[in-house]
Structure formats: C-alpha cells, structure tokens
Amino acid sequence: MPAKNHLSQEQREKLLKHLKEQENPYLREKILILLLMNDGKTYQEISKFLDIAYTTVAYWAVHGDPDKIESFLDGRREGKLLRLQIALQA
C-alpha cells in the first residue's frame, strides 16, 4: 500500500479536477480510491467507505495511474455498448 501523501500536488489537483468534472460513476470511484489512499486510508477502510470489494480497491491501487486517467478505463464497458448497438440494429 502506498504511503500517505504519495501523490504529488499536481497529481492530486488533477485527480480532484477530474473527480468534480467526471460524470461516469465508475471513473469517479476509481479516482476516489487513489485520493483516499493518498490520505492514508487502508484498503479495508476504503472498501468499507465506498461499499466496494477489497479486491477492487487493491486492483485499482496497483493498476490506476494518477497521470493517465485513461488507465481507469478497463475496457469492459466498451464491449457492452457495441453489443447493445448490434442488438438494436437487428
């Protein structure tokens, strides 16, 4: 688990900006995970606070890159949209 205040001030401000502007609740949740970790919260505290699985917190703590918001898009939702578009065309 990263140490408290592991994010630079620039990274933190960028994440806060995206958190306020982002409409996608999944991206907001992942940004919150990194911000709460930066505040020194444990994975268990974060999972309880956000009411999500511990493994979800652990995964995004490792795979979420605060410098690349695109890293929070895991690609699962893209397939659903494509399947829905195909189904609507049929």
Side-chain angles (χ1 to χ4, degrees), residues 32-86:
L32 266 174
I33 289 170
L34 288 188
L35 290 171
L36 289 169
M37 284 175 30
N38 191 56
D39 285 344
K41 304 293 183 209
T42 65
Y43 292 179
Q44 188 172 16
E45 290 171 329
I46 295 170
S47 67
K48 187 174 182 180
F49 179 73
L50 296 177
D51 195 28
I52 58 177
Y54 178 93
T55 53
T56 300
V57 175
Y59 179 87
W60 290 109
V62 173
H63 293 92
D65 184 348
D67 294 319
K68 297 179 185 172
I69 296 301
E70 308 82 46
S71 71
F72 296 114
L73 299 171
D74 59 6
R76 290 182 290 178
R77 299 186 56 80
E78 294 171 9
K80 289 183 180 181
L81 178 60
L82 181 60
R83 287 193 303 267
L84 177 63
Q85 288 173 341
I86 291 170

